[in-house]
Amino acid sequence: QSALTQPASVSGSPGQSITISCTGTSSDVGGYNYVSWYQQHPGKAPKLMIYDVSNRPSGVSNRFSGSKSGNTASLTISGLQVEDEADYYCASYTNRYTGVFGGGTKLTVL
Amino acid sequence: QVQLVESGGGVVQPGRSLRLSCAASGFTFSNYGMHWVRQAPGKGLDWVAVISYDGSQKYYADSVKGRFTISRDSSKNTLYLQMNSLRAEDTAVYYCAKRDSSGAPPGKVNLDFWGQGTQVTVSS
């Protein structure tokens, strides 16, 4: 159960768009449309931002969107805001009936 | 409103045991699968275990299989994690989290509500 691969950090300026990638294998990301994304601010519990690759829970801004191609899923944040600065984690269901998270990406809004 | 409150964390010596609890309220507990997720100091999220809404299916990360046991008591609206043979690398904040639905498979990591976590420190 290797962790999914995410870039350690990304950055952007307010108003810009950024994309965070999440690479797995055909046993997890590529095999199912069951990828989710979480936002975590320091000292806080994670918050679900995207589920089932591209669905937004009620209350999550439409500036957040998700997609997938092959073994790589992506989270795009458009119109960056200062409050978007946080750690972001992808997660996926696996063929062993388990879950797996990515290593996390620190988003800095310059 | 949905609330998940973890308890039972603390400092424990390597090789010893600890049982974590997660008290749930604000939703019909018996209708939802539940997960445990942990986070070591300064590290990322690490998936630990899942139990289906009815307790019939349980799955574990390789790193804890055979040492940890997830269970639930719907009469008490409580989720548990029994942790045996603890190691230094089990040191982390442990979160319980609720699945977004009762839909299969239970291992889907669609976790719409999380507790605030309980700290477990394994040290001699």
Side-chain angles (χ1 to χ4, degrees):
Chain A
Q1 283 170 315
S2 298
L4 307 175
T5 301
Q6 298 181 231
S9 63
V10 297
S11 62
S13 300
Q16 287 186 332
S17 294
I18 63 95
T19 297
I20 299 172
S21 61
C22 170
T23 301
T25 69
S26 59
S27 297
D28 38 63
V29 174
Y32 310 90
N33 288 324
Y34 297 155
V35 176
S36 51
W37 289 90
Y38 295 86
Q39 176 191 67
Q40 187 181 34
H41 287 108
K44 300 294 188 181
K47 175 185 178 183
L48 180 65
M49 305 302 285
I50 296 288
Y51 68 94
D52 293 351
V53 175
S54 59
N55 294 292
R56 272 189 315 276
S58 172
V60 172
S61 171
N62 60 9
R63 298 186 298 105
F64 292 82
S65 62
S67 62
K68 192 188 86 167
S69 178
N71 296 337
T72 298
S74 299
L75 172 71
T76 298
I77 309 174
S78 59
L80 268 180
Q81 299 180 0
V82 173
E83 56 263 38
D84 297 333
E85 186 164 293
D87 294 325
Y88 290 84
Y89 296 90
C90 62
S92 176
Y93 178 69
T94 83
N95 65 353
R96 299 175 67 186
Y97 312 108
T98 62
V100 62
F101 281 94
T105 298
K106 181 177 180 59
L107 169 62
T108 301
V109 181
L110 304 168
Chain B
Q1 73 281 21
V2 172
Q3 276 201 307
L4 298 171
V5 180
E6 302 94 338
S7 61
V11 180
V12 62
Q13 292 180 329
R16 304 298 291 266
S17 299
L18 208 57
R19 188 178 82 156
L20 305 183
S21 300
C22 170
S25 61
F27 66 102
T28 304
F29 181 70
S30 58
N31 285 356
Y32 294 88
M34 298 292 295
H35 292 234
W36 286 100
V37 176
R38 66 185 180 183
Q39 188 168 31
K43 302 297 184 181
L45 301 175
D46 184 29
W47 185 86
V48 174
V50 59
I51 186 168
S52 60
Y53 71 98
D54 62 356
S56 64
Q57 298 174 72
K58 304 174 185 181
Y59 302 104
Y60 301 91
D62 285 345
S63 58
V64 308
K65 196 177 299 182
R67 299 188 300 123
F68 289 12
T69 301
I70 189 171
S71 62
R72 63 191 299 158
D73 185 340
S74 289
S75 69
K76 296 182 179 179
N77 287 349
T78 302
L79 174 73
Y80 301 101
L81 186 67
Q82 177 67 43
M83 304 186 296
N84 299 332
S85 303
L86 282 162
R87 306 166 179 167
E89 54 265 36
D90 296 318
T91 293
V93 172
Y94 284 74
Y95 294 100
C96 67
K98 168 187 166 292
R99 259 293 306 275
D100 63 339
S101 77
S102 60
K108 278 177 64 173
V109 195
N110 291 2
L111 307 176
D112 60 354
F113 286 94
W114 297 60
Q116 284 305 302
T118 186
Q119 175 71 49
V120 172
T121 302
V122 184
S123 172
S124 55

